[in-house]
Amino acid sequence: MPPKKAREQASRQVNSAKQVLAPEVIAKRTRRHLDELERSNYAEPSISLLGEEEDDGAGGKYAKGRARQTISDKRHFGDPSAKKKKTSMNVRTAILYRKNLATLIEESGIAHLPPNVPTYLTAAAPPPVIPPRLLCSVCGYKGSYRCKKCSMPYCDLNCENVHNETRCERRVI
Amino acid sequence: MRSSTIVVLDNGASTIKAGIINNERDEDIQDKVRIIPNAVVRSKGDKSTYIGHEMERCRDYSALHYRLPFEKGYLIDWDAQKAVWDGLFSSEVLGISAAESSLLITEPYFNLPNIQEVYDQFVFEEYEFQSYYRCTPASVIPFGQLFSPGAAPPAECTLVVDSGFSFTHVVPIIDRQIQWYAVKRLDVGGKLLTNQLKEVASYRQWNMMDETYIMNHAKESCCYVSTNFLEDLEICRSNPKRNNITQEYVLPNFSISRNGRIRQPEDELTPTDQVLVMENERFSIPELLFRPDDIGLEQSGLSATIAASIMLLPSDLQGMFWANIGLIGGNTKFKGFRQRLFSELRSLAPSEFEVNILECDSPLTEAFHSGCAFVKDTNFSDLVVTRAEYQESGANASRRKFRDWQISEDNSKESEKGKAKQGLDDDDMGQLSRKPSRTKVRTGNTSTRRR
Ligand SMILES: [Zn+2]
Ligand SMILES: [Zn+2]
């Protein structure tokens, strides 16, 4: 527990800060964070697995150009004398032209199925019925206050200071 | 024609669980499972690329770069997938001749039709399997041991919780048919949890953002599901140094060990050892399965999602679902997972219903072993699409034959009407077109409603 003085000071800040940050801005930040949690790699290197240009892993768009070399062509396992068969056009296309999931969902047409047909889009868990709880964005303990600038929660004066010095209004890591 | 070799391939977004069933030689039927990473991994340390099974040769696990065939649970990078499958089918792992084999492969729930077509193309045009069957992991679970430990036949109404790398699904099944209209998805899986731990640890202690492998191991070693989250938070807060929650995870020193370890009391550290202190991180990370809103994800937690799914099922059968909940997938291995789920479900379920949660020894490979049982217990060769059928009618062949969400519409209507039209002979477990029979269910289990 923070000293009483600090608590009072902090709660005053909360009061004066109520509508500083629009809910859309917070929602956008949350969405960006959730997208980050989907990434397979934090640092996407400019040099790829096999030394050529690589499009970004998880959110990758179409492969950049026909010349892109594939990894599956490069390695042959087991019997080296095994006959090389011709790859079909369908398979070639799938290998060369990677599409991200959003594109594939759009192209699948599942958004236009009758509403009684269950799909990926309708299967998401329902929104929570219990109210959210505040957890300190610095130490993970119960949060009691929100930053007046960026509205991230913190638990005491100490964590408030850490927050202000490290990631207030920007994402440091 | 019956192929003598059947390849069972549980194609997970993080790991592939695969093996061979050989019909001609009975002694080979032992469901030997191979688990290989479904990834192409580049190691910064030795500047080598490891494809799938080759990862076991990798010695330097720091700063690995992952290329995963799956994005958000769906197969999108076929180049990477082909590389991993090429290795899997080669003599380095399974050593099969696809043209003389049949394949059972799992796909994600609600797989997209345009992605399913590519599965067909790879199976028949690239690998030229003799025949194949494609289904979701949960659909084979009724054939395994999870709901029927010993020899007891499984209940007719079961609910599979499949919590994997990409997401967590709640999958109700009546009479071996997935009830797609009640399948629900929580967008929390092992990948998100590891990434969250990476982020929190990096902010609070060491920069671990590039250390997915290490942090995944730390998560699997240290994390547990709390049965009293706020109380555990208090314990860590009020006595940070001395409490029974805090652990020290000693980061691996790659010249000596591949994995880090939890520091034991007598464990002397060397001056170069780096320690990651795991306090509320131990339980705050898996907590997201139960409270996705802790990171702002606007979804109900697992327990409420299960309750929501059951509410969509025929009301006279709901009691059976509460009593037959089974856990598969890696996240269900967290200590305390079942206990927490049980206490929450108990408070959500109507008091007259029994709540029962079943576990298996190996939630990671349960779908694989159930898939093997499925192949053996059904007339598998009647269920598959053959190469000839594919050549004849392309993707339509599998659309007609594989039961999934796209033909579930009629299914749910049938179940609403409650009409049990079935000439079923009970011996034929392979009769997948069998419709749910509510009459049979009622008489089949009298123990559900105890009070
Ligand atoms: Zn704090
Ligand atoms: Zn701030």
Side-chain angles (χ1 to χ4, degrees):
Chain A
M1 267 291 142
K4 193 155 180 280
K5 220 172 185 180
R7 245 181 301 153
E8 278 168 4
Q9 188 196 357
S11 66
R12 269 202 306 278
Q13 286 180 0
V14 172
N15 291 340
S16 66
K18 269 214 169 107
Q19 294 102 2
V20 172
L21 211 59
E24 310 89 78
V25 180
I26 298 174
K28 202 173 159 193
R29 183 176 68 198
T30 303
R31 179 94 313 264
R32 195 172 60 221
H33 180 220
L34 292 173
D35 285 345
E36 281 169 12
L37 292 176
E38 285 294 332
R39 288 163 73 165
S40 302
N41 302 285
Y42 174 64
E44 293 297 347
S46 52
I47 299 167
S48 88
L49 295 167
L50 294 160
E52 70 229 50
E53 203 191 355
E54 160 93 333
D55 41 4
D56 55 324
K61 297 185 188 78
Y62 292 86
K64 286 172 186 146
R66 281 149 216 273
R68 193 178 92 116
Q69 252 186 322
T70 63
I71 38 172
S72 52
D73 280 348
K74 283 215 162 176
R75 191 76 62 93
H76 296 281
F77 300 96
D79 184 4
S81 68
K83 65 175 166 85
K84 283 211 191 83
K85 56 176 284 292
K86 205 169 172 293
T87 298
S88 79
M89 185 59 99
N90 285 332
V91 168
R92 204 74 210 144
T93 306
I95 288 174
L96 284 178
Y97 303 101
R98 182 168 72 195
K99 297 172 181 177
N100 65 23
L101 184 63
T103 307
L104 287 163
I105 288 175
E106 201 181 305
E107 290 178 2
S108 74
I110 56 169
H112 309 297
L113 291 172
N116 60 331
V117 180
T119 67
Y120 171 78
L121 298 173
T122 65
V129 286
I130 43 172
R133 56 191 180 191
L134 285 193
L135 296 177
C136 176
S137 59
V138 176
C139 73
Y141 183 68
K142 279 183 287 182
S144 306
Y145 319 105
R146 281 183 185 279
C147 170
K148 63 174 177 179
K149 284 193 224 114
C150 73
S151 151
M152 284 177 110
Y154 54 84
C155 68
D156 62 13
L157 197 59
N158 189 26
C159 283
E160 182 191 9
N161 288 335
V162 175
H163 168 80
N164 288 339
E165 284 161 20
T166 55
R167 66 171 160 193
C168 184
E169 287 185 297
R170 63 209 149 98
R171 300 198 54 84
V172 174
I173 53 167
Chain B
M1 189 174 62
R2 206 176 161 93
S3 2
S4 58
T5 301
I6 298 169
V7 179
V8 177
L9 203 177
D10 182 14
N11 200 47
S14 171
T15 56
I16 290 178
K17 284 70 69 176
I20 293 171
I21 294 175
N22 195 311
N23 275 333
E24 278 163 359
R25 287 177 297 162
D26 268 358
E27 72 269 26
D28 279 353
I29 303 182
Q30 46 185 293
D31 305 358
K32 196 165 165 288
V33 61
R34 296 288 302 261
I35 303 176
I36 68 167
N38 199 359
V40 177
V41 181
R42 172 85 176 168
S43 165
K44 233 182 205 169
D46 59 15
K47 302 218 170 8
S48 299
T49 298
Y50 299 93
I51 297 178
H53 70 283
E54 296 178 331
M55 262 306 273
E56 65 187 24
R57 281 183 233 152
C58 178
R59 289 291 163 262
D60 189 342
Y61 279 65
S62 70
L64 299 178
H65 179 276
Y66 286 84
R67 181 162 161 193
L68 305 178
F70 281 75
E71 176 194 335
K72 290 185 180 165
Y74 293 89
L75 184 37
I76 60 146
D77 184 345
W78 290 91
D79 184 24
Q81 186 64 88
K82 181 177 178 318
V84 174
W85 283 351
D86 283 350
L88 175 70
F89 298 145
S90 79
S91 56
E92 292 185 22
V93 188
L94 295 180
I96 55 141
S97 158
E100 280 130 43
S101 308
S102 183
L103 172 71
L104 165 67
I105 186 170
T106 61
E107 65 176 345
Y109 307 96
F110 295 110
N111 201 7
L112 301 174
N114 40 344
I115 299 180
Q116 290 174 323
E117 285 178 20
V118 190
Y119 278 74
D120 291 355
Q121 290 159 6
F122 270 77
V123 168
F124 289 124
E125 298 175 22
E126 180 63 22
Y127 295 108
E128 301 185 326
F129 276 96
Q130 212 168 66
S131 62
Y132 102 115
Y133 185 75
R134 168 166 44 74
C135 64
T136 61
S139 73
V140 293
I141 292 300
F143 295 84
Q145 297 284 302
L146 179 59
F147 291 108
S148 49
E156 329 253 334
C157 293
T158 55
L159 189 140
V160 175
V161 174
D162 183 352
S163 188
F165 181 68
S166 313
F167 31 42
T168 299
H169 278 91
V170 173
V171 187
I173 299 173
I174 301 178
D175 242 358
R176 298 182 167 168
Q177 303 292 314
I178 290 179
Q179 305 300 299
W180 286 102
Y181 57 92
V183 175
K184 290 290 158 202
R185 180 193 72 250
L186 174 60
D187 289 316
V188 179
K191 184 183 195 179
L192 180 143
L193 299 182
T194 299
N195 279 343
Q196 176 72 11
L197 178 58
K198 251 164 52 173
E199 192 190 293
V200 166
S202 301
Y203 181 61
R204 296 177 192 165
Q205 301 176 61
W206 305 97
N207 182 359
M208 303 302 290
M209 290 309 283
D210 280 327
E211 307 298 347
T212 303
Y213 181 88
I214 298 169
M215 292 316 282
N216 186 59
H217 184 263
K219 177 192 77 175
E220 290 177 356
S221 310
C222 302
C223 286
Y224 70 94
V225 176
S226 171
T227 38
N228 193 335
F229 180 74
L230 294 177
E231 195 179 292
D232 282 359
L233 271 186
E234 279 317 326
I235 291 172
C236 292
R237 172 80 163 197
S238 58
N239 204 342
K241 292 275 181 295
R242 304 169 135 269
N243 64 63
N244 55 8
I245 292 174
T246 302
Q247 285 180 342
E248 291 179 315
Y249 181 82
V250 185
L251 296 170
N253 175 340
F254 284 112
S255 59
I256 301 160
S257 63
R258 170 189 298 186
N259 286 326
R261 63 179 196 275
I262 298 168
R263 186 183 178 192
Q264 303 302 322
E266 69 284 0
D267 198 341
E268 293 290 329
L269 297 180
T270 70
T272 53
D273 275 335
Q274 294 182 322
V275 164
L276 186 70
V277 181
M278 296 284 287
E279 297 181 300
N280 62 35
E281 296 84 359
R282 286 191 65 201
F283 54 89
S284 296
I285 302 299
E287 181 73 12
L288 299 176
L289 289 158
F290 295 87
R291 291 296 301 262
D293 59 329
D294 280 354
I295 48 166
L297 178 58
E298 286 281 317
Q299 293 185 338
S300 294
L302 178 56
S303 310
T305 302
I306 291 172
S309 166
I310 294 180
M311 290 300 285
L312 295 170
L313 295 157
S315 56
D316 57 335
L317 302 181
Q318 291 179 5
M320 276 192 74
F321 287 102
W322 286 111
N324 290 288
I325 295 166
L327 308 180
I328 63 169
N331 301 324
T332 69
K333 296 206 294 198
F334 283 123
K335 253 185 248 117
F337 183 97
R338 181 177 174 278
Q339 215 183 335
R340 168 73 171 273
L341 184 61
F342 180 82
S343 71
E344 288 193 359
L345 288 180
R346 185 58 275 174
S347 67
L348 289 169
S351 57
E352 69 266 31
F353 292 137
E354 182 191 355
V355 173
N356 196 21
I357 302 176
L358 297 119
E359 288 177 295
C360 49
D361 293 340
S362 174
L364 207 65
T365 52
E366 184 60 21
F368 168 80
H369 291 297
S370 301
C372 293
F374 171 77
V375 167
K376 292 173 205 162
D377 294 353
T378 56
N379 297 318
F380 185 66
S381 52
D382 295 341
L383 303 174
V384 296
V385 168
T386 65
R387 194 158 72 226
E389 285 169 335
Y390 179 74
Q391 279 157 356
E392 170 96 21
S393 35
N396 282 328
S398 38
R399 248 188 305 248
R400 275 197 300 265
K401 237 169 166 170
F402 302 152
R403 303 188 62 84
D404 70 2
W405 58 273
Q406 292 163 86
I407 44 175
S408 69
E409 208 189 343
D410 342 324
N411 226 1
S412 63
K413 272 186 200 144
E414 292 282 346
S415 105
E416 268 154 40
K417 280 186 235 149
K419 274 185 193 160
K421 39 171 176 215
Q422 45 175 332
L424 70 100
D425 66 292
D426 274 341
D427 298 333
D428 189 1
M429 307 303 233
Q431 204 37 273
L432 284 187
S433 59
R434 203 158 113 178
K435 294 290 190 293
S437 146
R438 296 166 80 186
T439 345
K440 188 155 174 286
V441 168
R442 277 204 211 96
T443 54
N445 186 326
T446 48
S447 68
T448 318
R449 297 182 184 179
R450 290 216 161 137
R451 273 163 263 173

